Amino acid sequence: AYINDLTLFGPASNTASAPSAGSLDEATAAYLNRADVRVALHVDEAPVGTWPGPKEGWTYASDYAACNGAAADGAVSMIDFYRGLAPQLERTIVFNGDTDPCVSYEGTREAVRRVGFPELAGHEYRPWFFNATATSVRVLREKPVLFGPSLVVWEEGPQMGGSVVDYAHGLSFVTVHGSGHMVPQIRPRAGLHLLGKLISGKPFAPPLPLDKELAAMSDGAFDAMVDKWTDAAKGPPFTTI
């Protein structure tokens, strides 16, 4: 294929049903089939012994309204899952690449909004940044073209990672700028930053001024506020994990 149906602006993808020699799919399959990786993922005793899988002839039934056009009316959806799960956890992050032609981030954003939790004051949709670290020449030579197409050999400093909006009960919706369907593959540095935020609990970005504060600002005061906010968002604790 010459068009990647999982990332709008990415290199052409290998869409073969089985991993081909030298492809990213083959490297991923080899990694996931390693004994130590299977133990780390707690699937070493799973009935399916290899990945990809399962074997031909295996089927399953989906009763949930999640990527299921045949779901019955009133079936439980991901909105219901988030509504029930988030209050039980310290933090829940739902994320989406913003160049994903397979699952549009606008649909995911609307689904998270429909969970119905209040949006936190000052935590409206706003950009977040990450430190774009250098990648070694060895890694760039060895990596498949579909992995980390934006990786380079020099430090790039704080870069826009995407946007974030925060809700009550620790629920956040996060976009990853320039990423398609597989964030860790297409934007590995931003993906690592996102995972670090989930584990550490640190905020993605500082809060914005309240609407009444913004309405009272002059043009000059607003411009100064934006500059100050952006400088803060590009520094710790926001760009550290």
Side-chain angles (χ1 to χ4, degrees), residues 38-102:
R38 287 171 54 83
V39 170
L41 295 175
H42 305 286
V43 296
D44 49 309
E45 297 182 3
V48 177
T50 59
W51 190 93
K55 296 180 180 179
E56 186 176 354
W58 181 87
T59 61
Y60 73 95
S62 176
D63 298 325
Y64 299 100
C67 300
N68 180 14
D73 291 341
V76 174
S77 71
M78 291 307 300
I79 295 173
D80 300 308
F81 276 116
Y82 297 144
R83 188 179 294 134
L85 183 63
Q88 302 179 56
L89 302 174
E90 292 184 9
R91 189 167 205 185
T92 303
I93 296 175
V94 182
F95 65 93
N96 212 128
D98 67 6
T99 64
D100 183 354
C102 178

Side-chain angles (χ1 to χ4, degrees), residues 12-202:
S13 62
N14 181 347
T15 57
S17 57
S20 58
S23 69
L24 179 60
D25 288 346
E26 182 192 47
T28 302
Y31 174 76
L32 290 173
N33 284 322
R34 276 174 28 186
D36 59 327
V37 174
R38 287 171 54 83
V39 170
L41 295 175
H42 305 286
V43 296
D44 49 309
E45 297 182 3
V48 177
T50 59
W51 190 93
K55 296 180 180 179
E56 186 176 354
W58 181 87
T59 61
Y60 73 95
S62 176
D63 298 325
Y64 299 100
C67 300
N68 180 14
D73 291 341
V76 174
S77 71
M78 291 307 300
I79 295 173
D80 300 308
F81 276 116
Y82 297 144
R83 188 179 294 134
L85 183 63
Q88 302 179 56
L89 302 174
E90 292 184 9
R91 189 167 205 185
T92 303
I93 296 175
V94 182
F95 65 93
N96 212 128
D98 67 6
T99 64
D100 183 354
C102 178
V103 179
S104 168
Y105 77 95
E106 289 289 0
T108 308
R109 178 165 69 166
E110 176 62 14
V112 174
R113 188 190 67 80
R114 290 188 185 185
V115 170
F117 295 159
E119 191 175 279
L120 300 182
H123 290 249
E124 296 87 351
Y125 209 62
R126 61 204 192 282
W128 60 271
F129 299 85
F130 72 100
N131 276 323
T133 54
T135 304
S136 71
V137 173
R138 180 184 62 82
V139 169
L140 291 175
R141 285 175 173 169
E142 293 178 355
K143 78 176 186 66
V145 67
L146 288 173
F147 179 82
S150 65
L151 296 177
V152 292
V153 295
W154 53 81
E155 298 273 350
E156 298 176 290
Q159 299 292 324
M160 180 183 172
S163 298
V164 57
V165 55
D166 302 308
Y167 297 90
H169 302 295
L171 176 64
S172 298
F173 171 65
V174 178
T175 66
V176 180
H177 185 53
S179 180
H181 198 61
M182 293 81 67
V183 168
Q185 171 192 319
I186 300 167
R187 289 291 184 266
R189 294 177 296 183
L192 179 62
H193 184 87
L194 189 154
L195 179 60
K197 292 297 187 185
L198 175 64
I199 295 172
S200 71
K202 293 179 181 178

